[in-house]
Amino acid sequence: MSDAFIHYTEARAYPTIGVILLGGISDRTKRIPMHTSAGFAYTGLDQDIWVDTRVMVNRGAPFGDLNGEEVQYSESGRSPFVILNHYRSKIFDHLAVREEAALSFRSRNVGILSGSSDAGAAAMGSCIAEMAGGVDDMVAFENELRSISESVGRSLYGGLTVTWADGRNARTEQLLSPEAFRDYVVIGCSFNVQRKPSDRIHENAVSSPDYPKRIDSTAKKAKELVKLSEQRDIKGIFELSHQDTGEYHRLNESVGVNIITPGMRKLMKKVDQDRVEMWMSYIVTGGSNVFVITEKKNMNEIADRYRGYCDSQSLLSVAEGAKVIAGSKP
């Protein structure tokens, strides 16, 4: 491992939460979503949740570091080195690197509840694009980054996004900026349980006889999400996500993948009961969190109400897209 770098670029990106939840990808390497999905990037109310990734042109051998753990070099599969090496010549040409050198990276997660791989992929992509002097086709570039995380577009663009997909092609577009959600807060209620591996979720979901219905349903919901976004109907957006959470988990449970624990279910039932007296909603993705959405004016009351139902809480807001935050000059 060598820190004798010739050039570096550092980018920051934010993790994500699904709104129309994704289950099913084309394969383990390319990871093109089998159906349309949606989600948003998030951070803490104090901007204290993120992923920072630094890509370096360094002398010596290539190395990778994720939260202080070594990432073994590989030229195949889902390794980040695959996409780094793909852009190596373009980066070196743009930076006028004339000596033998390698591309390496360091990535650090801070305070993340779930969705870290989206942020890591987006931050790395931002570094690559900056160091290469831009990319010619952002849709193609996003699909390359999917080998690291299938829903990278959510973190890449930030705010509320939809990813149109059919298992062969995929592209993400932003529907609303973070500013549209300024009056709302997401309370991340976390449970100290082991999450199900994402590949197990993706591989089992497609085996359900109801999966074709899921493909049709997500396409219809995405069109509705576009309309709700045009109307700036934030409550409507989270009502749609509340309904999609139920559909997503019923499908997973039908093929033996039970993500929701008894403790999580207890909190969800409590929220469903309380929705009668005060507006709120929830999203449960593939991890070990129940994300409760409420109006910012009610966040302290709602957080207090559910504090005893989970192991920890975090107050979250919708975040912007990935961006370069530091670098040396070529």
Side-chain angles (χ1 to χ4, degrees), residues 242-314:
H242 187 95
Q243 188 274 334
D244 192 69
T245 283
E247 181 178 289
Y248 171 83
H249 287 282
R250 283 192 296 273
L251 183 139
N252 278 292
E253 289 162 7
S254 74
V255 291
V257 181
N258 297 300
I259 297 165
I260 300 173
T261 66
M264 294 166 69
R265 185 76 68 185
K266 183 178 179 181
L267 173 55
M268 292 163 67
K269 287 182 178 179
K270 177 62 175 169
V271 174
D272 282 331
Q273 292 169 0
D274 292 350
R275 275 160 53 85
V276 176
E277 61 177 275
M278 183 185 300
W279 185 85
M280 66 187 83
S281 182
Y282 61 65
I283 299 170
V284 182
T285 61
S288 54
N289 305 282
V290 176
F291 297 103
V292 180
I293 304 97
T294 185
E295 292 175 275
K296 185 175 285 187
K297 65 184 181 181
N298 298 324
M299 68 178 183
N300 291 327
E301 178 183 349
I302 298 300
D304 288 344
R305 185 179 298 193
Y306 300 139
R307 188 161 285 116
Y309 284 82
C310 56
D311 294 309
S312 61
Q313 288 183 343
S314 302

Side-chain angles (χ1 to χ4, degrees), residues 6-7 57 59 87-101 103 130-133 328-330:
I6 301 166
H7 178 86
V57 180
R59 299 180 180 90
Y87 284 88
R88 184 175 184 272
S89 294
K90 189 172 182 181
I91 289 171
F92 282 14
D93 285 346
H94 179 68
L95 299 177
V97 175
R98 305 300 182 205
E99 59 182 290
E100 284 297 318
L103 284 175
E130 177 77 6
M131 296 170 81
S328 57
K329 298 294 183 183

Side-chain angles (χ1 to χ4, degrees), residues 176-236:
L176 287 173
S177 70
E179 177 65 17
F181 298 87
R182 66 183 181 277
D183 295 328
Y184 294 83
V185 167
V186 179
I187 304 170
C189 299
S190 300
F191 294 79
N192 295 332
V193 295
Q194 188 171 3
R195 65 168 292 159
K196 295 288 189 297
S198 60
D199 280 337
R200 184 184 173 197
I201 295 171
H202 290 308
E203 290 166 7
N204 280 269
V206 298
S207 68
S208 169
D210 290 330
Y211 194 70
K213 294 180 182 178
R214 177 65 178 162
I215 293 174
D216 291 341
S217 173
T218 56
K220 291 175 182 176
K221 287 175 185 172
K223 291 178 182 178
E224 178 64 19
L225 188 68
V226 171
K227 293 179 182 177
L228 292 167
S229 298
E230 290 171 346
Q231 297 162 1
R232 300 249 166 172
D233 185 352
I234 306 303
K235 289 183 179 179

Side-chain angles (χ1 to χ4, degrees), residues 138-183:
M138 275 302 296
V139 173
F141 186 54
E142 178 189 344
N143 283 321
E144 286 186 273
L145 292 171
R146 289 191 200 288
S147 64
I148 302 174
S149 185
E150 58 275 8
S151 46
V152 59
R154 298 174 185 174
S155 185
L156 199 61
Y157 293 102
L160 174 70
T161 54
V162 60
T163 300
W164 308 99
D166 60 8
R168 299 178 301 278
N169 303 292
R171 65 176 179 85
T172 299
E173 63 174 300
Q174 187 190 76
L175 299 180
L176 287 173
S177 70
E179 177 65 17
F181 298 87
R182 66 183 181 277
D183 295 328

Side-chain angles (χ1 to χ4, degrees), residues 1-2 61-74 80-81 105-107:
M1 183 180 295
S2 172
F63 66 87
D65 182 299
L66 176 59
N67 296 320
E69 298 284 332
E70 181 181 2
V71 177
Q72 291 292 329
Y73 180 82
S74 175
F81 290 106
F105 72 92
R106 280 201 173 98
S107 191

